[in-house]
Amino acid sequence: MSDVLAIYPGSFDPITNGHFDLIERSRRIFDHLIVALLTNAEKEPLFSVEERVGMLREVTRNMKNVSVDTFSGLLVDYAVQKKARALVRGIRAFSDYEYELRMALMNRKLEPRLETIFLMPAESYAYVSSRLVKEIFRHGGSVKELVPPVVEARLRQKVNSLRHEV
Ligand code: PNS
């Protein structure tokens, strides 16, 4: 049987320890994992695509079966182009479930050959999200245990550079 490739898509603005945990879990299941960053999201990101890709590459650099890529347009089109067999999404709390279920079923309608696999992060990351990390950091709270060290450093640089802009 050929190698099984999975795609872990997202905005990763920025990558958190919860994302990292899911990458570790996924790469033990699949032969190859592509962490795929959506470039044309409607929401205004804090970090540019290049910055987010840079952080993803940095934290996955010792993972031989993980690569980082970007995509735009429909996820299923990108997945078919890459010959992926599965999409990986994380479910933290029950509140994630409805949105994720709708997205998975819609993706299945668009491309029935592709399966969405839901994984749960470690319990300690169940409450971690990129949005909360940014909010905590903006108000001076510690994000040390929530993101990889490189992300904490980039958050500090970003906040300093934004302060100098005003
Ligand atoms: O990290 P996020 O923001 O929750 O990731 C959402 C993402 C990128 C997985 C989703 O918005 C997506 O797949 N967008 C690409 C466009 C698409 O295929 N939309 C239809 C989804 S049913």
Side-chain angles (χ1 to χ4, degrees):
M1 212 167 108
S2 57
D3 282 359
V4 180
L5 166 73
I7 292 179
Y8 180 30
S11 311
F12 304 106
D13 185 39
I15 177 175
T16 66
N17 283 346
H19 294 127
F20 185 84
D21 181 83
L22 279 203
I23 293 171
E24 280 289 12
R25 287 172 199 280
S26 310
R27 82 187 194 92
R28 281 185 242 135
I29 300 173
F30 300 103
D31 298 300
H32 192 87
L33 181 76
I34 302 179
V35 181
L37 184 122
L38 176 69
T39 58
N40 62 339
E42 279 162 27
K43 41 193 176 184
E44 186 68 39
L46 175 65
F47 290 100
S48 69
V49 168
E50 292 72 25
E51 288 171 323
R52 282 178 279 158
V53 165
M55 288 184 271
L56 286 169
R57 291 227 161 100
E58 172 92 31
V59 301
T60 58
R61 71 178 189 283
N62 293 326
M63 301 179 185
K64 280 200 173 65
N65 63 339
V66 176
S67 53
V68 176
D69 194 13
T70 59
F71 76 102
S72 58
L74 282 182
L75 174 59
V76 290
D77 290 343
Y78 171 76
V80 167
Q81 182 209 322
K82 290 288 168 191
K83 299 188 170 54
R85 294 260 295 279
L87 302 171
V88 172
R89 291 289 287 173
I91 301 240
R92 291 161 300 192
F94 199 64
S95 50
D96 284 335
Y97 183 70
E98 201 187 334
Y99 167 68
E100 293 297 334
L101 179 71
R102 265 189 282 138
M103 196 155 71
L105 291 178
M106 187 60 84
N107 281 332
R108 178 183 281 167
K109 173 126 190 87
L110 294 168
E111 182 45 69
R113 289 170 299 175
L114 207 55
E115 289 296 340
T116 298
I117 310 286
F118 292 128
L119 292 178
M120 290 162 292
E123 265 168 53
S124 46
Y125 302 130
Y127 56 90
V128 180
S129 71
S130 299
R131 189 179 67 77
L132 286 182
V133 162
K134 287 183 280 192
E135 196 170 309
I136 292 163
F137 196 82
R138 206 172 287 130
H139 296 294
S142 170
V143 295
K144 213 177 175 53
E145 284 166 32
L146 310 180
V147 294
V150 60
V151 175
E152 196 192 358
R154 299 283 160 77
L155 274 166
R156 196 163 293 122
Q157 284 167 6
K158 177 64 76 181
V159 167
N160 283 340
S161 70
L162 292 178
R163 261 194 211 120
H164 286 120
E165 267 174 29
V166 289

